Coordinates of all heavy atoms in Angstrom, one line a residue:
M1 N 73.5 114.1 71.4 CA 74.1 113.1 70.7 C 73.1 112.2 69.8 O 73.4 111.8 68.7 CB 74.9 112.1 71.6 CG 75.7 111.1 70.8 SD 76.8 110.0 71.8 CE 78.0 111.1 72.3
P2 N 71.9 112.1 70.4 CA 70.9 111.4 69.5 C 70.6 112.0 68.2 O 70.5 111.3 67.1 CB 69.6 111.4 70.4 CG 70.1 111.5 71.8 CD 71.3 112.4 71.7
Q3 N 70.5 113.3 68.1 CA 70.4 114.0 66.9 C 71.6 113.7 65.9 O 71.3 113.5 64.7 CB 70.2 115.5 67.0 CG 68.8 115.8 67.8 CD 68.8 117.2 68.2 OE1 69.8 117.9 68.4 NE2 67.6 117.8 68.2
L4 N 72.7 113.9 66.4 CA 73.9 113.7 65.6 C 74.0 112.3 65.1 O 74.2 112.0 63.9 CB 75.2 114.0 66.4 CG 76.6 114.0 65.5 CD1 76.6 115.1 64.5 CD2 77.7 114.2 66.5
A5 N 73.7 111.3 66.0 CA 73.7 109.9 65.6 C 72.7 109.6 64.5 O 73.0 108.9 63.5 CB 73.4 109.0 66.8
A6 N 71.5 110.2 64.6 CA 70.5 109.9 63.6 C 70.8 110.6 62.3 O 70.6 109.9 61.2 CB 69.1 110.5 64.1
H7 N 71.5 111.7 62.4 CA 71.9 112.4 61.1 C 72.8 111.6 60.3 O 72.8 111.6 59.1 CB 72.5 113.7 61.5 CG 73.0 114.6 60.2 ND1 72.1 115.2 59.5 CD2 74.2 114.7 59.8 CE1 72.9 115.8 58.5 NE2 74.1 115.5 58.8
F8 N 73.8 110.9 61.0 CA 74.8 110.1 60.3 C 74.4 108.6 60.2 O 75.3 107.8 59.7 CB 76.1 110.3 60.9 CG 76.7 111.7 60.7 CD1 76.8 112.6 61.7 CD2 77.3 112.1 59.5 CE1 77.2 113.8 61.5 CE2 77.7 113.3 59.3 CZ 77.7 114.2 60.3
G9 N 73.2 108.3 60.7 CA 72.8 106.9 60.6 C 73.5 105.9 61.6 O 73.6 104.7 61.2
F10 N 73.9 106.5 62.7 CA 74.5 105.6 63.7 C 73.5 105.4 64.9 O 72.6 106.2 65.0 CB 75.8 106.2 64.4 CG 77.0 106.3 63.4 CD1 77.3 107.4 62.8 CD2 77.6 105.1 63.1 CE1 78.4 107.5 61.9 CE2 78.7 105.1 62.3 CZ 79.1 106.3 61.7
S11 N 73.7 104.4 65.6 CA 73.0 104.3 66.9 C 73.8 105.2 67.8 O 75.0 105.5 67.7 CB 72.9 102.9 67.5 OG 74.3 102.4 67.8
V12 N 73.1 105.7 68.9 CA 73.8 106.5 69.9 C 74.9 105.7 70.5 O 76.1 106.3 70.7 CB 72.8 106.9 71.0 CG1 73.5 107.7 72.1 CG2 71.8 107.9 70.4
R13 N 74.8 104.5 70.8 CA 75.8 103.6 71.3 C 77.0 103.6 70.4 O 78.2 103.7 70.9 CB 75.3 102.2 71.6 CG 76.3 101.4 72.3 CD 75.7 100.0 72.6 NE 76.8 99.2 73.2 CZ 76.5 98.0 73.9 NH1 75.3 97.6 73.9 NH2 77.6 97.4 74.3
N14 N 76.8 103.4 69.2 CA 77.9 103.3 68.2 C 78.7 104.6 68.0 O 79.9 104.6 68.0 CB 77.5 102.8 66.9 CG 77.2 101.3 66.8 OD1 77.8 100.5 67.7 ND2 76.5 100.8 65.9
L15 N 77.9 105.7 68.0 CA 78.6 107.0 67.9 C 79.3 107.3 69.1 O 80.5 107.8 69.1 CB 77.5 108.1 67.7 CG 78.0 109.5 67.5 CD1 78.9 109.5 66.3 CD2 76.9 110.4 67.4
S16 N 78.8 107.0 70.3 CA 79.5 107.2 71.5 C 80.8 106.4 71.6 O 81.9 106.9 71.9 CB 78.6 106.7 72.6 OG 79.3 106.9 73.9
R17 N 80.8 105.2 71.1 CA 82.0 104.2 71.0 C 83.0 104.8 70.0 O 84.1 104.9 70.4 CB 81.6 102.8 70.5 CG 82.7 101.9 70.6 CD 82.3 100.5 70.3 NE 81.1 100.1 71.0 CZ 80.1 99.3 70.5 NH1 80.2 99.0 69.2 NH2 79.1 99.0 71.2
L18 N 82.5 105.4 69.0 CA 83.5 106.0 68.0 C 84.2 107.3 68.7 O 85.4 107.5 68.4 CB 82.7 106.6 66.8 CG 82.3 105.4 65.8 CD1 81.5 106.0 64.7 CD2 83.6 104.8 65.2
F19 N 83.4 108.1 69.4 CA 84.0 109.3 70.1 C 84.9 108.7 71.2 O 86.1 109.3 71.2 CB 83.0 110.1 70.8 CG 82.4 111.2 69.9 CD1 81.3 111.0 69.2 CD2 83.2 112.4 69.6 CE1 80.8 112.1 68.3 CE2 82.7 113.3 68.7 CZ 81.4 113.2 68.1
N20 N 84.6 107.8 71.9 CA 85.5 107.2 73.0 C 86.8 106.7 72.3 O 87.9 106.9 72.9 CB 84.8 106.1 73.8 CG 83.8 106.7 74.8 OD1 83.9 108.0 75.1 ND2 82.8 105.9 75.1
E21 N 86.8 105.9 71.2 CA 87.8 105.3 70.6 C 88.8 106.4 70.0 O 90.0 106.2 69.9 CB 87.4 104.4 69.5 CG 86.8 103.0 70.1 CD 86.3 102.1 69.0 OE1 86.4 102.5 67.8 OE2 85.7 101.1 69.3
S22 N 88.2 107.5 69.5 CA 89.1 108.6 69.0 C 89.6 109.4 70.0 O 90.5 110.2 69.7 CB 88.2 109.4 68.0 OG 87.2 110.2 68.8
G23 N 89.2 109.3 71.2 CA 89.8 110.1 72.4 C 89.3 111.5 72.5 O 89.7 112.4 73.1
I24 N 88.1 111.8 71.6 CA 87.6 113.1 71.7 C 86.2 113.0 72.5 O 85.4 112.1 72.3 CB 87.2 113.5 70.3 CG1 88.5 113.6 69.4 CG2 86.4 114.9 70.3 CD1 88.2 113.8 67.9
R25 N 86.1 113.9 73.5 CA 84.9 113.9 74.2 C 83.9 114.6 73.4 O 84.1 115.6 72.7 CB 85.2 114.7 75.6 CG 85.9 114.0 76.6 CD 85.9 114.5 78.0 NE 85.6 116.0 78.0 CZ 86.5 116.9 78.3 NH1 87.7 116.6 78.7 NH2 86.1 118.2 78.3
F26 N 82.6 114.2 73.5 CA 81.5 114.7 72.7 C 81.2 116.2 73.1 O 81.1 117.0 72.2 CB 80.2 113.8 73.0 CG 79.1 114.4 72.2 CD1 79.0 114.2 70.8 CD2 78.0 115.1 72.8 CE1 78.0 114.7 70.0 CE2 76.9 115.5 72.1 CZ 76.9 115.3 70.6
S27 N 81.4 116.5 74.3 CA 81.1 117.9 74.7 C 82.2 118.9 74.1 O 82.0 120.0 73.7 CB 81.2 118.2 76.2 OG 82.4 117.7 76.8
Y28 N 83.5 118.4 74.0 CA 84.6 119.1 73.4 C 84.2 119.3 71.9 O 84.5 120.5 71.3 CB 85.9 118.4 73.5 CG 87.1 119.1 72.9 CD1 87.6 120.3 73.7 CD2 87.7 118.8 71.7 CE1 88.7 120.9 73.1 CE2 88.7 119.5 71.2 CZ 89.2 120.6 71.9 OH 90.3 121.3 71.4
Y29 N 83.8 118.3 71.2 CA 83.4 118.4 69.8 C 82.3 119.4 69.5 O 82.4 120.3 68.7 CB 82.9 117.0 69.3 CG 82.5 117.0 67.8 CD1 83.2 117.0 66.8 CD2 81.1 117.0 67.7 CE1 82.7 117.0 65.5 CE2 80.5 117.0 66.3 CZ 81.3 116.9 65.3 OH 80.8 117.0 64.0
V30 N 81.3 119.3 70.4 CA 80.2 120.2 70.3 C 80.6 121.8 70.7 O 80.3 122.7 69.8 CB 79.0 119.9 71.2 CG1 78.0 121.0 71.3 CG2 78.4 118.6 70.7
N31 N 81.5 121.8 71.5 CA 82.0 123.2 71.8 C 82.8 123.8 70.7 O 82.8 124.9 70.4 CB 82.8 123.2 73.1 CG 81.8 123.3 74.4 OD1 80.6 123.6 74.3 ND2 82.4 122.8 75.5
N32 N 83.6 123.0 70.1 CA 84.4 123.4 68.9 C 83.5 123.8 67.9 O 83.8 124.9 67.1 CB 85.3 122.3 68.4 CG 86.7 122.2 69.1 OD1 87.4 123.3 69.0 ND2 87.0 121.3 69.8
L33 N 82.4 123.1 67.6 CA 81.5 123.6 66.5 C 80.8 124.9 66.9 O 80.8 125.7 66.1 CB 80.4 122.5 66.4 CG 80.7 121.1 65.7 CD1 79.6 120.2 65.6 CD2 81.4 121.3 64.3
R34 N 80.5 125.1 68.1 CA 79.9 126.4 68.5 C 80.8 127.5 68.4 O 80.4 128.6 67.9 CB 79.4 126.2 70.0 CG 78.3 125.3 70.3 CD 78.0 125.2 71.8 NE 76.8 124.5 72.0 CZ 76.5 124.1 73.3 NH1 77.3 124.3 74.2 NH2 75.3 123.5 73.4
I35 N 82.1 127.3 68.7 CA 83.1 128.3 68.7 C 83.4 128.6 67.2 O 83.5 129.9 66.8 CB 84.4 128.0 69.5 CG1 84.0 127.8 71.0 CG2 85.4 129.2 69.1 CD1 83.3 129.1 71.6
M36 N 83.5 127.7 66.4 CA 83.6 128.0 64.9 C 82.4 128.8 64.4 O 82.6 129.7 63.6 CB 83.8 126.7 64.2 CG 85.2 126.0 64.3 SD 85.4 124.7 63.2 CE 84.4 123.4 63.9
R37 N 81.2 128.5 64.8 CA 80.0 129.2 64.3 C 80.1 130.6 64.9 O 79.8 131.6 64.3 CB 78.8 128.5 64.8 CG 77.5 129.2 64.4 CD 77.3 129.3 62.9 NE 76.2 130.0 62.7 CZ 76.0 131.0 61.6 NH1 77.0 131.2 60.8 NH2 74.9 131.6 61.5
A38 N 80.6 130.8 66.2 CA 80.7 132.1 66.8 C 81.6 132.9 66.0 O 81.4 134.1 65.8 CB 81.1 131.9 68.3
I39 N 82.8 132.4 65.5 CA 83.8 133.1 64.8 C 83.1 133.7 63.5 O 83.3 134.8 63.0 CB 85.0 132.3 64.6 CG1 85.8 132.2 65.9 CG2 85.9 132.9 63.5 CD1 86.8 131.0 65.8
E40 N 82.3 132.7 62.9 CA 81.6 133.2 61.7 C 80.6 134.3 61.9 O 80.6 135.2 61.1 CB 80.8 132.0 61.1 CG 81.6 130.9 60.5 CD 80.9 129.6 60.1 OE1 79.6 129.6 60.5 OE2 81.4 128.7 59.6
L41 N 80.0 134.2 63.0 CA 79.0 135.3 63.4 C 79.8 136.7 63.6 O 79.3 137.7 63.2 CB 78.2 134.9 64.5 CG 77.2 133.8 64.3 CD1 76.4 133.4 65.6 CD2 76.1 134.2 63.2
F42 N 80.9 136.6 64.3 CA 81.7 137.8 64.6 C 82.1 138.4 63.3 O 82.1 139.6 63.1 CB 82.9 137.5 65.5 CG 82.6 137.3 66.9 CD1 83.2 136.2 67.7 CD2 81.7 138.1 67.6 CE1 82.9 136.0 69.0 CE2 81.4 137.9 69.0 CZ 82.0 136.9 69.7
A43 N 82.5 137.5 62.3 CA 82.9 138.0 61.0 C 81.9 138.7 60.2 O 82.1 139.7 59.5 CB 83.5 136.8 60.1
D44 N 80.6 138.2 60.4 CA 79.5 138.9 59.7 C 79.2 140.2 60.4 O 78.7 141.1 59.7 CB 78.2 138.1 59.9 CG 78.3 136.8 59.1 OD1 79.1 136.7 58.1 OD2 77.5 135.8 59.3
G45 N 79.6 140.5 61.7 CA 79.3 141.8 62.3 C 78.0 141.9 62.7 O 77.0 141.2 62.3
G46 N 77.7 143.1 63.4 CA 76.4 143.5 63.9 C 75.8 142.8 65.1 O 74.7 143.0 65.4
R47 N 76.6 141.9 65.7 CA 76.1 141.2 66.8 C 77.1 141.5 68.1 O 78.2 141.5 67.9 CB 76.0 139.7 66.7 CG 75.0 139.3 65.8 CD 74.9 137.7 65.6 NE 73.9 137.3 64.7 CZ 74.1 137.1 63.4 NH1 75.3 137.4 62.8 NH2 73.1 136.6 62.7
T48 N 76.4 141.6 69.3 CA 77.2 141.7 70.4 C 77.7 140.4 70.9 O 77.2 139.3 70.3 CB 76.4 142.2 71.6 OG1 75.4 141.4 72.0 CG2 75.8 143.7 71.2
M49 N 78.7 140.3 71.7 CA 79.3 139.1 72.2 C 78.1 138.3 72.9 O 78.0 137.1 72.7 CB 80.4 139.4 73.2 CG 81.2 138.1 73.6 SD 80.6 137.3 75.1 CE 80.5 138.5 76.3
Q50 N 77.3 139.0 73.6 CA 76.2 138.2 74.3 C 75.2 137.5 73.3 O 74.8 136.4 73.5 CB 75.4 139.2 75.2 CG 76.1 139.5 76.5 CD 75.2 140.5 77.3 OE1 74.6 141.3 76.8 NE2 75.3 140.3 78.6
Q51 N 74.8 138.3 72.3 CA 74.0 137.8 71.2 C 74.6 136.5 70.6 O 73.9 135.5 70.4 CB 73.7 138.9 70.1 CG 72.9 139.9 70.6 CD 72.8 141.0 69.6 OE1 73.7 141.4 69.0 NE2 71.6 141.7 69.5
V52 N 76.0 136.6 70.3 CA 76.6 135.5 69.7 C 76.6 134.3 70.7 O 76.4 133.2 70.4 CB 78.0 135.9 69.2 CG1 78.8 134.6 68.9 CG2 78.0 136.8 68.1
A53 N 76.9 134.5 71.9 CA 76.9 133.5 72.9 C 75.6 132.7 73.0 O 75.6 131.5 73.0 CB 77.3 134.1 74.3
Y54 N 74.5 133.4 73.0 CA 73.2 132.8 73.1 C 73.0 132.1 71.7 O 72.3 131.0 71.7 CB 72.1 133.8 73.5 CG 72.3 134.3 74.8 CD1 72.2 135.6 75.2 CD2 72.4 133.4 76.0 CE1 72.3 136.1 76.4 CE2 72.5 133.8 77.3 CZ 72.5 135.3 77.5 OH 72.7 135.7 78.8
E55 N 73.2 132.8 70.7 CA 72.9 132.2 69.3 C 73.6 130.8 69.1 O 73.1 130.0 68.5 CB 73.2 133.2 68.3 CG 72.7 132.8 67.0 CD 72.7 133.9 65.9 OE1 72.7 135.0 66.3 OE2 72.8 133.6 64.7
V56 N 74.8 130.6 69.6 CA 75.5 129.5 69.3 C 75.3 128.4 70.4 O 75.8 127.4 70.3 CB 77.1 129.6 69.2 CG1 77.3 130.5 67.9 CG2 77.7 130.2 70.4
G57 N 74.4 128.7 71.4 CA 73.9 127.7 72.3 C 74.5 127.7 73.6 O 74.3 126.7 74.5
F58 N 75.1 128.7 74.1 CA 75.7 128.8 75.5 C 74.6 129.3 76.4 O 73.9 130.3 76.0 CB 77.0 129.6 75.5 CG 78.2 128.8 75.0 CD1 78.5 129.0 73.7 CD2 78.9 128.0 75.9 CE1 79.7 128.2 73.2 CE2 80.0 127.3 75.4 CZ 80.3 127.5 74.0
A59 N 74.5 128.9 77.6 CA 73.6 129.4 78.6 C 73.8 130.8 79.1 O 72.9 131.5 79.4 CB 73.3 128.3 79.7
T60 N 75.1 131.0 79.2 CA 75.6 132.4 79.8 C 76.8 132.9 79.0 O 77.6 132.0 78.5 CB 76.0 132.2 81.3 OG1 77.2 131.4 81.3 CG2 74.9 131.6 82.1
P61 N 76.9 134.2 78.9 CA 78.1 134.8 78.2 C 79.4 134.4 78.9 O 80.4 134.3 78.3 CB 77.8 136.3 78.3 CG 76.3 136.4 78.4 CD 75.9 135.2 79.1
N62 N 79.4 134.3 80.2 CA 80.5 133.9 81.0 C 81.1 132.5 80.6 O 82.3 132.3 80.4 CB 80.3 133.9 82.5 CG 80.3 135.3 83.0 OD1 80.7 136.3 82.4 ND2 79.6 135.5 84.2
H63 N 80.2 131.6 80.5 CA 80.6 130.2 80.0 C 81.1 130.3 78.5 O 82.1 129.7 78.3 CB 79.5 129.3 80.1 CG 79.8 127.8 79.8 ND1 79.1 127.1 79.1 CD2 80.9 127.1 80.2 CE1 79.6 125.9 78.9 NE2 80.8 125.9 79.6
F64 N 80.5 131.1 77.7 CA 80.9 131.2 76.3 C 82.4 131.9 76.4 O 83.2 131.3 75.6 CB 80.1 132.3 75.6 CG 80.5 132.7 74.2 CD1 80.6 131.8 73.2 CD2 80.9 134.0 74.1 CE1 81.0 132.1 71.9 CE2 81.3 134.4 72.7 CZ 81.4 133.5 71.7
N65 N 82.6 132.9 77.1 CA 84.0 133.4 77.3 C 85.0 132.5 77.6 O 86.1 132.4 77.0 CB 83.9 134.6 78.3 CG 83.5 135.9 77.8 OD1 83.9 136.2 76.7 ND2 83.0 136.8 78.6
R66 N 84.6 131.7 78.7 CA 85.6 130.7 79.1 C 86.0 129.6 78.1 O 87.1 129.3 77.8 CB 85.0 130.0 80.4 CG 85.9 129.1 81.2 CD 85.4 128.7 82.5 NE 84.0 128.5 82.6 CZ 83.0 129.2 83.2 NH1 83.4 130.4 83.6 NH2 81.8 129.0 83.2
V67 N 84.9 129.1 77.4 CA 85.1 128.1 76.4 C 85.9 128.6 75.2 O 86.8 128.1 74.6 CB 83.8 127.4 75.9 CG1 84.0 126.5 74.7 CG2 83.2 126.7 77.2
F68 N 85.5 129.9 74.7 CA 86.1 130.5 73.6 C 87.6 130.7 73.9 O 88.4 130.4 73.0 CB 85.4 131.9 73.4 CG 85.9 132.6 72.1 CD1 85.0 132.4 71.0 CD2 87.0 133.3 71.9 CE1 85.2 133.0 69.8 CE2 87.4 133.8 70.7 CZ 86.4 133.7 69.6
R69 N 87.9 131.1 75.1 CA 89.4 131.4 75.4 C 90.1 130.0 75.5 O 91.3 129.9 75.0 CB 89.4 132.1 76.8 CG 90.9 132.4 77.2 CD 91.0 133.0 78.5 NE 90.2 134.2 78.7 CZ 90.7 135.5 78.4 NH1 91.9 135.6 78.1 NH2 90.0 136.6 78.5
Q70 N 89.5 128.9 76.0 CA 90.1 127.7 76.1 C 90.4 127.1 74.7 O 91.5 126.6 74.4 CB 89.2 126.7 76.7 CG 89.1 126.8 78.2 CD 88.1 125.8 78.8 OE1 87.2 125.3 78.0 NE2 88.1 125.7 80.1
I71 N 89.5 127.3 73.8 CA 89.7 126.9 72.3 C 90.6 127.7 71.5 O 91.4 127.2 70.7 CB 88.3 126.6 71.6 CG1 87.7 125.4 72.5 CG2 88.5 126.3 70.2 CD1 86.3 125.1 72.0
T72 N 90.4 129.0 71.5 CA 91.2 130.0 70.7 C 92.4 130.5 71.3 O 93.3 131.0 70.6 CB 90.3 131.1 70.1 OG1 90.0 131.9 71.3 CG2 89.0 130.6 69.5
G73 N 92.4 130.5 72.6 CA 93.6 131.1 73.3 C 93.5 132.6 73.6 O 94.3 133.2 74.2
V74 N 92.4 133.2 73.1 CA 92.1 134.6 73.4 C 90.7 134.8 73.8 O 89.8 133.9 73.4 CB 92.4 135.6 72.1 CG1 93.9 135.5 71.8 CG2 91.6 135.0 71.0
S75 N 90.3 135.9 74.4 CA 88.9 136.1 74.7 C 88.2 136.5 73.4 O 88.7 137.0 72.4 CB 88.7 137.3 75.7 OG 89.2 138.5 75.1
P76 N 86.8 136.5 73.5 CA 86.0 136.9 72.2 C 86.3 138.4 71.9 O 86.5 138.8 70.7 CB 84.6 136.7 72.7 CG 84.6 135.7 73.9 CD 86.0 135.8 74.5
N77 N 86.4 139.3 73.0 CA 86.5 140.7 72.7 C 88.0 140.9 72.1 O 88.1 141.7 71.1 CB 86.5 141.4 74.0 CG 85.0 141.5 74.5 OD1 84.1 141.5 73.8 ND2 84.9 141.6 75.9
A78 N 88.9 140.2 72.6 CA 90.3 140.3 71.9 C 90.3 139.8 70.5 O 90.9 140.4 69.6 CB 91.3 139.6 72.7
F79 N 89.6 138.7 70.3 CA 89.5 138.1 68.9 C 88.8 139.1 68.0 O 89.3 139.3 66.9 CB 88.7 136.9 68.9 CG 88.6 136.2 67.6 CD1 89.5 135.3 67.1 CD2 87.4 136.5 66.8 CE1 89.4 134.7 66.0 CE2 87.3 135.9 65.5 CZ 88.4 135.0 65.2
V80 N 87.8 139.8 68.4 CA 87.0 140.7 67.6 C 87.8 141.9 67.2 O 87.9 142.5 66.1 CB 85.6 141.1 68.2 CG1 85.0 142.3 67.4 CG2 84.7 139.9 68.2
K81 N 88.6 142.4 68.3 CA 89.4 143.6 68.0 C 90.6 143.3 67.1 O 91.0 144.2 66.3 CB 90.1 144.1 69.4 CG 89.0 144.8 70.3 CD 89.6 145.2 71.6 CE 88.5 145.8 72.5 NZ 89.1 146.1 73.8
N82 N 91.1 142.0 67.1 CA 92.2 141.7 66.2 C 91.7 141.3 64.8 O 92.6 141.3 63.9 CB 93.1 140.6 66.7 CG 93.9 141.1 68.0 OD1 94.2 142.2 68.1 ND2 94.0 140.2 68.9
D83 N 90.5 141.2 64.6 CA 89.9 140.6 63.3 C 90.1 141.8 62.3 O 90.0 142.8 62.3 CB 88.4 140.2 63.6 CG 88.0 139.5 62.3 OD1 88.9 138.9 61.5 OD2 86.9 139.4 62.1

């Protein structure tokens, strides 16, 4: 959050307040950004699911799978096959 706040010229406290007032959890926002980037990387091709998981900032491929499914409704493998 400190990096994002500095990027947009907010204090961490004010940015945190904005997220709270909007009803969006910061972790949900970050995970959405990560999954959008993962979809872009899948579209580029040439990377495995594990490579994409680590590149977008997930500590484990299992966590990436879980979050990807929560956000998109399908697993990363199913998404790639349907693309």
Side-chain angles (χ1 to χ4, degrees):
M1 190 175 288
Q3 292 171 330
L4 188 64
H7 179 77
F8 289 107
F10 289 106
S11 69
V12 172
R13 182 178 178 165
N14 282 339
L15 183 61
S16 179
R17 188 176 306 141
L18 287 172
F19 271 102
N20 288 336
E21 288 174 1
S22 69
I24 300 170
R25 289 191 334 247
F26 182 71
S27 61
Y28 183 79
Y29 173 77
V30 170
N31 283 337
N32 270 299
L33 291 178
R34 288 176 172 168
I35 298 305
M36 286 190 285
R37 178 66 181 140
I39 290 169
E40 292 171 356
L41 293 174
F42 284 137
D44 290 343
R47 290 181 180 88
T48 66
M49 189 272 302
Q50 285 181 319
Q51 290 170 326
V52 170
Y54 292 129
E55 193 167 331
V56 299
F58 285 92
T60 67
N62 285 339
H63 186 224
F64 171 70
N65 269 329
R66 193 169 34 256
V67 173
F68 194 97
R69 186 182 300 267
Q70 287 173 345
I71 291 174
T72 66
V74 296
S75 71
N77 290 331
F79 182 86
V80 171
K81 286 179 185 176
N82 288 331
D83 191 27

